[in-house]
Amino acid sequence: MKIYNTLSKKVEEFIPYSEKEVTMYTCGPTVYYYAHIGNLRTYISEDVLEKGLRYLGYNVKRCMNITDVGHLSGDSDTGEDKMAKAAQKEHKSVLDIAKFYTEAFFKDLERLNIKKPDIISPATLNIDSYIKMINKLLEEGYAYKSGGNVYFDTAKFPNYYELSGRSKDDLLLAVRDDVEEDNNKKNPFDFGLWFTNSKFQNQELKWDSPFGYGYPGWHIECSAIAIKNLGEHLDIHCGGVDNIFPHHTNEIAQSESYLNHKWCNYWVHMEFLNDKEGKMSKSKGDSKDLNSLIEKGYNPIVYRYFCLQSHYRKVLVYSLESLDSATNAYNKLKNKIKNIKNNLSGEVDYEKSKLFQDKFKDAFSNDMNTSMMLTTLYDVIKSDLNNSTKLYLIEDFDKVLSLSLLEEEKISAELESYINEKIKERAMAKENKDYAKADEIRDELLSKNIILKDTKEGTTFEIRK
Ligand code: AMP
Ligand code: ZN
């Protein structure tokens, strides 16, 4: 298995720390709103990474945090607290907001066939672990108290620039936009480990600690949760590219200072999903969540298919047109598979299967080349293998791709209400003699594999076989 490591800036052979188990940590969502489809692209890639490793025969133990405290709108301790702001806006408590959007996130995972990580840990349930880490960092001189807060002293960690591969001046420019300078910091990169006295006097969630009544910074939560659940040596740490600096840079600084040795060997970062206007962001307020796609009649698994068509290290540009083409391709694929399933022949040829399984493994092992993995699936379908062998391989590959390749198309309640809405719209268009509009609606549904049938009793629909 070869994977690109942000730390070395190279595609490297993957060698886990222990033969027994691969440990994998992925930064979870900040649950102040629905995850947008950009966030979900990252979680899809991480899911394929975990499942692919399992497919290769590794035992994987994976952990993810849920950020329900401490994440400010600027990643460098600036701006407002994302959770507190959402609670204020929705007139709810922070924990209610967290509960609601955590459940919404789990629902998204389920709809995208993303396996839940083995361990999921909310930040608010790990205060003891942060205190333990911060205490040691203070004792050993890696952290300092200033203005009532505790900060990590980045000058004490010479490798601070390694992960981002950027110079000090370059990073100074990057944080320059975070104009609200914190005069308590010795250096602009220093970051808060614990806040008691800050601009957030109305911070709802606070805890007792040896450093005063307060709350943790964002970065400490991932280090502490990862070390607590996965041990002192981590194989893989994932996240989106925006996490490289400052979040993961800070995680490395505090974890390695705390542990006194190298912490994580492979840093795997997922590129962004952009829309035509540029970066997608939850805080921009115009984000696209999975519900908005479902409301437009798209199958969430088609979104997964769309993501797998491109490499995780390339920016992916999203548009409804590109999702339409993915819908088309996915439906054709499902129809071909249905045909195979309905015309089974011969015994499974395990020897020949192995050739295709090796190709599939090679594609995954080549820095998780998901489009090559899909090509291998198409190669199986096109091949002269008998249908039983094809079906065996399709089922096998779907353990990693998770595209519901063998599932009969079920219709969700959301899609059904969308179609009924469209049928009403079409009837109205016909009544107004706007036949072009009526045809447009029929064609749009047809592109989603939904066939309208006009009967004496009214219009009904069925899914194209
Ligand atoms: P957040 O909830 O903001 O902490 O982000 C959750 C995950 O999504 C992190 O791993 C981010 O790096 C990642 N992420 C944020 N924006 C995007 C985007 N537009 N495309 C892909 N991943 C993203
Ligand atoms: Zn994190």
Side-chain angles (χ1 to χ4, degrees), residues 19 30 45 63 106 158-159 187 265 273 289 336 338 444:
E19 295 269 293
T30 309
S45 302
C63 174
F106 289 160
N159 282 351
N187 176 323
N265 283 331
L273 177 86
D289 56 48
K336 283 184 185 144
K338 195 179 243 174
E444 189 232 295

Side-chain angles (χ1 to χ4, degrees), residues 55-56 354 356-366:
Y55 189 83
L56 294 184
K354 187 154 181 317
F356 286 93
Q357 284 168 318
D358 285 346
K359 255 182 97 176
F360 189 74
K361 282 182 187 169
D362 283 350
F364 172 75
S365 302
N366 182 6

Side-chain angles (χ1 to χ4, degrees), residues 66-79:
I66 299 281
T67 299
D68 51 2
V69 69
H71 194 174
L72 310 186
S73 52
D75 283 348
S76 315
D77 301 334
T78 56

Side-chain angles (χ1 to χ4, degrees), residues 57-303:
Y58 290 108
N59 240 329
V60 184
K61 187 173 178 191
R62 181 168 165 210
C63 174
M64 178 192 266
N65 67 310
I66 299 281
T67 299
D68 51 2
V69 69
H71 194 174
L72 310 186
S73 52
D75 283 348
S76 315
D77 301 334
T78 56
E80 291 168 276
D81 181 292
K82 291 189 183 191
M83 294 299 302
K85 193 174 162 195
Q88 229 168 33
K89 197 169 140 207
E90 297 196 24
H91 305 291
K92 288 186 185 147
S93 73
V94 166
L95 287 181
D96 281 345
I97 291 284
K99 187 166 181 283
F100 180 84
Y101 290 113
T102 302
E103 286 307 319
F105 174 65
F106 289 160
K107 195 167 168 200
D108 285 347
L109 296 188
E110 201 183 313
R111 293 193 289 204
L112 290 165
N113 286 350
I114 296 175
K115 174 189 169 294
K116 266 193 191 173
D118 308 290
I119 303 157
I120 297 181
S121 195
T124 45
L125 297 187
N126 291 282
I127 304 299
D128 288 356
S129 306
Y130 316 143
I131 292 176
K132 186 174 158 206
M133 261 185 100
I134 297 168
N135 257 332
K136 187 164 178 214
L137 291 171
L138 274 169
E139 266 167 39
E140 300 195 352
Y142 290 107
Y144 59 92
K145 289 184 186 168
S146 174
N149 302 329
V150 184
Y151 296 93
F152 185 88
D153 190 347
T154 49
K156 299 274 167 63
F157 188 73
N159 282 351
Y160 192 71
Y161 306 95
E162 192 183 0
L163 185 73
S164 67
R166 291 159 74 179
S167 68
K168 186 171 179 178
D169 289 344
D170 206 10
L171 290 187
L172 275 171
L173 270 179
V175 294
R176 199 188 50 185
D177 291 343
D178 289 336
V179 279
E180 307 161 40
E181 222 178 288
D182 181 346
N183 292 324
N184 296 319
K185 292 184 184 180
K186 290 194 213 164
N187 176 323
F189 303 139
D190 293 355
F191 53 92
L193 296 168
W194 190 267
F195 296 97
T196 67
N197 178 21
S198 73
K199 54 197 165 170
F200 310 114
Q201 292 311 333
N202 57 356
Q203 179 72 20
E204 200 180 301
L205 298 175
K206 287 191 185 184
W207 294 265
D208 274 326
S209 85
F211 340 107
Y213 187 57
Y215 60 98
W218 172 43
H219 312 294
I220 192 75
E221 69 178 73
C222 286
S223 292
I225 292 173
I227 293 170
K228 177 175 165 184
N229 293 289
L230 302 174
E232 292 194 0
H233 294 275
L234 182 61
D235 288 312
I236 303 175
H237 195 311
C238 306
V241 284
D242 59 326
N243 285 159
I244 297 173
F245 178 80
H247 187 47
H248 291 166
T249 296
N250 293 350
E251 277 191 48
I252 294 175
Q254 66 204 0
S255 300
E256 298 194 354
S257 305
Y258 171 75
L259 296 168
N260 285 317
H261 61 69
K262 187 170 179 184
W263 174 45
C264 173
N265 283 331
Y266 299 88
W267 286 86
V268 179
H269 290 104
M270 317 305 178
E271 247 307 342
F272 262 32
L273 177 86
N274 287 350
D275 52 27
K276 284 190 213 141
E277 293 80 45
K279 195 179 150 184
M280 209 169 281
S281 130
K282 265 192 282 198
S283 34
K284 236 167 48 176
D286 62 347
S287 68
K288 293 164 183 72
D289 56 48
L290 199 59
N291 286 328
S292 73
L293 293 191
I294 294 169
E295 279 158 18
K296 290 190 184 80
Y298 292 100
N299 176 352
I301 299 302
V302 166
Y303 179 65

